[in-house]
Amino acid sequence: QSALTQPASVSGSPGQSITISCTGTSSDVGGYNYVSWYQQHPGKAPKLMIYDVTNRPSGVSNRFSGSKSGNTASLTISGLQAEDEADYYCSSYTSSGTLVFGGGTKLTVL
Amino acid sequence: EVQLLESGGGLVQPGGSLRLSCAVSGFTFSSYAMSWVRQAPGKGLEWVSAISGGGGSTYYADSVKGRFTISRDNSKNTLSLQMNSLRAEDTAVYYCAKSLTGTTFRSGYCFDYWGQGTLVTVSS
């Protein structure tokens, strides 16, 4: 199972919006609404930010939103804040009954 | 408060074995699927294995199939990962993770609680 494709890095200024893409295939992202996104700060465990493509767990800011079109899922962060600077990973359930992660995207807040 | 505490990591030679454990508290353990996810130094996340709430169904990444075995003891609230025939590429921090919902892996494919991780280093 190949990793989902994410851009290696994105950046934005405080207050701006950014979008991170996550491209897979019809056997994973495109075939299921089982896409999730995680935020990971250095030295910390990942934190679930979005699940089932668009849903936010309790306690996650509504500045974070998710969407999907075809085989590509996206995470949008609006009103960028300094504390949003982190690595972001997408993941998807697959037709093989496994889970695949994206390679990760480093978000820099300028 | 939900807590997941991994143990058992360490330095092991190539071809060796290691058993990781994850002690959990703060939720009804048997009601949730559980997974192991690893992260090689400086690299991204890689899902390793999952087990259903009752323990009857197990799932593995191709990279560890046949070498790793996941299990759980619902009476002791403990998740385990037996790792055999270890390779250098298995070197990583191993996290145990609780599924957000559901006893099956498909319904519980995403994780709302993670442990702090335990480092496994495979080297001679």
Side-chain angles (χ1 to χ4, degrees), chain B residues 3 5 14 25-27 39-40 44-45 47 49 61-62 64 70-71 80 85 87 89 92 100 105 113 115-116 118 124:
Chain B
Q3 292 190 331
L5 184 62
S25 61
F27 64 100
Q39 187 168 34
L45 301 174
W47 173 80
S49 182
D62 287 345
V64 306
I70 191 172
S71 62
S80 298
S85 303
R87 307 165 180 167
E89 54 264 37
L100 175 64
F105 178 47
Y113 287 95
Q116 85 291 346
T118 186
S124 55

Coordinates of all heavy atoms in Angstrom, one line a residue, chain B residues 3 5 14 25-27 39-40 44-45 47 49 61-62 64 70-71 80 85 87 89 92 100 105 113 115-116 118 124:
Chain B
Q3 N -5.8 7.3 29.5 CA -4.3 7.2 29.5 C -3.9 5.9 28.8 O -4.5 4.9 29.0 CB -3.8 7.2 31.0 CG -4.0 8.5 31.7 CD -3.2 8.6 33.0 OE1 -3.0 7.6 33.7 NE2 -2.8 9.8 33.4
L5 N -0.2 4.0 28.1 CA 1.2 4.0 28.5 C 2.0 2.8 27.9 O 1.8 1.6 28.3 CB 1.4 4.0 30.0 CG 2.8 4.1 30.6 CD1 3.4 5.4 30.2 CD2 2.8 4.0 32.1
P14 N 19.5 -7.0 14.9 CA 18.7 -7.5 13.8 C 18.5 -9.0 13.9 O 19.3 -9.8 14.3 CB 19.6 -7.2 12.6 CG 20.5 -6.0 13.0 CD 20.7 -6.3 14.5
S25 N -6.2 3.0 30.6 CA -7.1 3.3 31.7 C -8.0 4.4 31.3 O -7.7 5.2 30.3 CB -6.4 3.6 33.0 OG -5.6 4.7 32.8
G26 N -9.2 4.6 31.9 CA -10.0 5.7 31.7 C -11.1 5.5 30.7 O -11.9 6.4 30.4
F27 N -11.2 4.3 30.1 CA -12.3 4.0 29.2 C -12.5 2.4 29.2 O -11.7 1.7 29.7 CB -12.0 4.5 27.8 CG -10.8 3.8 27.1 CD1 -11.0 2.8 26.2 CD2 -9.6 4.3 27.4 CE1 -9.9 2.2 25.5 CE2 -8.5 3.7 26.7 CZ -8.6 2.7 25.8
Q39 N 6.7 5.6 14.0 CA 7.3 6.7 13.3 C 8.8 6.6 13.4 O 9.4 6.7 14.5 CB 6.8 8.0 14.0 CG 7.3 9.3 13.2 CD 6.5 10.5 13.8 OE1 6.2 10.6 14.9 NE2 6.2 11.5 12.9
A40 N 9.4 6.3 12.2 CA 10.9 6.3 12.2 C 11.5 7.7 12.5 O 10.8 8.7 12.2 CB 11.3 5.8 10.8
G44 N 7.7 10.1 8.7 CA 6.2 10.2 8.9 C 5.6 9.0 9.6 O 6.3 8.1 10.0
L45 N 4.3 9.1 9.8 CA 3.6 8.1 10.5 C 3.4 6.9 9.6 O 3.1 7.0 8.4 CB 2.2 8.6 11.0 CG 2.3 9.8 11.9 CD1 0.9 10.3 12.2 CD2 3.0 9.5 13.2
W47 N 1.1 3.2 9.9 CA 0.2 2.3 10.6 C 0.8 0.9 10.6 O 1.3 0.5 9.5 CB -1.2 2.3 10.0 CG -2.1 1.3 10.6 CD1 -2.8 1.3 11.7 CD2 -2.4 0.0 10.0 NE1 -3.5 0.2 11.9 CE2 -3.3 -0.7 10.9 CE3 -2.0 -0.7 8.8 CZ2 -3.8 -1.9 10.6 CZ3 -2.5 -1.9 8.6 CH2 -3.4 -2.6 9.4
S49 N -0.5 -2.1 12.8 CA -1.4 -3.2 13.1 C -2.6 -2.7 13.9 O -2.6 -1.7 14.5 CB -0.7 -4.3 13.9 OG -1.5 -5.4 14.2
A61 N 0.0 -4.2 8.5 CA 0.6 -3.7 7.3 C 1.4 -4.7 6.6 O 2.0 -5.6 7.3 CB 1.5 -2.5 7.7
D62 N 1.6 -4.7 5.3 CA 2.4 -5.6 4.6 C 3.8 -5.7 5.1 O 4.4 -6.7 5.1 CB 2.4 -5.3 3.1 CG 1.0 -5.6 2.4 OD1 0.2 -6.3 3.0 OD2 0.8 -5.1 1.3
V64 N 5.0 -5.7 8.0 CA 5.2 -6.4 9.2 C 4.5 -7.8 9.3 O 4.6 -8.5 10.2 CB 4.8 -5.6 10.5 CG1 5.5 -4.2 10.4 CG2 3.3 -5.4 10.6
I70 N -0.2 -8.8 17.0 CA -0.9 -8.0 17.9 C -1.9 -8.8 18.7 O -2.5 -9.8 18.2 CB -1.7 -6.8 17.1 CG1 -2.2 -5.8 18.1 CG2 -2.8 -7.4 16.3 CD1 -2.8 -4.5 17.4
S71 N -2.0 -8.4 20.0 CA -3.0 -9.1 20.9 C -3.5 -8.2 22.0 O -2.9 -7.1 22.1 CB -2.3 -10.4 21.5 OG -1.2 -10.0 22.3
S80 N -0.8 -5.5 23.3 CA 0.6 -6.0 23.1 C 0.9 -6.1 21.6 O 0.1 -6.2 20.8 CB 0.8 -7.3 23.8 OG 0.6 -7.3 25.1
S85 N 11.9 -11.3 14.2 CA 12.7 -11.1 13.0 C 12.9 -9.6 12.7 O 12.6 -9.1 11.6 CB 12.0 -11.8 11.8 OG 11.9 -13.2 12.1
R87 N 14.2 -5.9 11.9 CA 15.1 -5.4 10.9 C 15.4 -3.9 11.2 O 14.7 -3.3 12.0 CB 14.4 -5.4 9.5 CG 13.9 -6.8 9.1 CD 12.9 -6.6 7.9 NE 12.4 -7.9 7.5 CZ 11.3 -8.0 6.6 NH1 10.8 -6.9 6.1 NH2 10.9 -9.2 6.3
E89 N 15.0 -1.4 9.5 CA 13.9 -0.5 9.1 C 12.7 -0.5 10.1 O 11.8 0.3 9.9 CB 13.4 -0.8 7.7 CG 13.1 -2.3 7.4 CD 14.2 -3.1 6.9 OE1 15.4 -2.9 7.2 OE2 13.9 -4.0 6.0
A92 N 12.0 2.7 15.2 CA 10.9 3.8 15.2 C 10.4 4.0 16.6 O 10.7 3.1 17.5 CB 9.8 3.4 14.3
L100 N -11.4 6.1 17.7 CA -12.3 7.1 18.1 C -13.7 6.4 18.4 O -14.3 6.8 19.4 CB -12.5 8.1 17.0 CG -13.6 9.2 17.2 CD1 -13.3 10.1 18.4 CD2 -13.8 10.0 15.9
F105 N -12.2 -2.4 13.3 CA -11.2 -1.5 12.8 C -11.7 -0.6 11.7 O -11.4 0.6 11.7 CB -10.0 -2.3 12.2 CG -8.9 -1.5 11.6 CD1 -8.4 -0.4 12.3 CD2 -8.4 -1.8 10.3 CE1 -7.4 0.4 11.7 CE2 -7.4 -1.0 9.8 CZ -6.9 0.1 10.5
Y113 N -7.0 9.0 21.0 CA -6.0 9.1 22.1 C -4.8 8.2 21.7 O -4.9 7.1 21.1 CB -6.6 8.5 23.4 CG -7.5 9.5 24.0 CD1 -8.9 9.4 23.8 CD2 -7.1 10.5 24.9 CE1 -9.8 10.3 24.4 CE2 -8.0 11.4 25.4 CZ -9.3 11.3 25.2 OH -10.2 12.2 25.8
G115 N -0.6 7.1 23.0 CA 0.3 7.0 24.1 C 1.5 8.0 23.8 O 1.5 8.7 22.8
Q116 N 2.5 8.0 24.7 CA 3.6 8.9 24.5 C 4.7 8.2 23.6 O 5.6 8.9 23.1 CB 4.2 9.2 25.8 CG 5.3 8.2 26.4 CD 4.6 6.9 26.8 OE1 3.4 6.8 27.0 NE2 5.5 5.9 27.0
T118 N 7.1 4.5 22.5 CA 8.3 3.8 23.1 C 9.2 3.6 21.9 O 8.8 3.1 20.8 CB 7.9 2.5 23.8 OG1 9.0 2.0 24.4 CG2 7.3 1.5 22.9
S124 N 23.0 -3.5 15.3 CA 24.0 -4.4 15.8 C 25.1 -3.6 16.5 O 26.1 -4.1 17.0 CB 24.6 -5.3 14.7 OG 25.1 -4.5 13.7

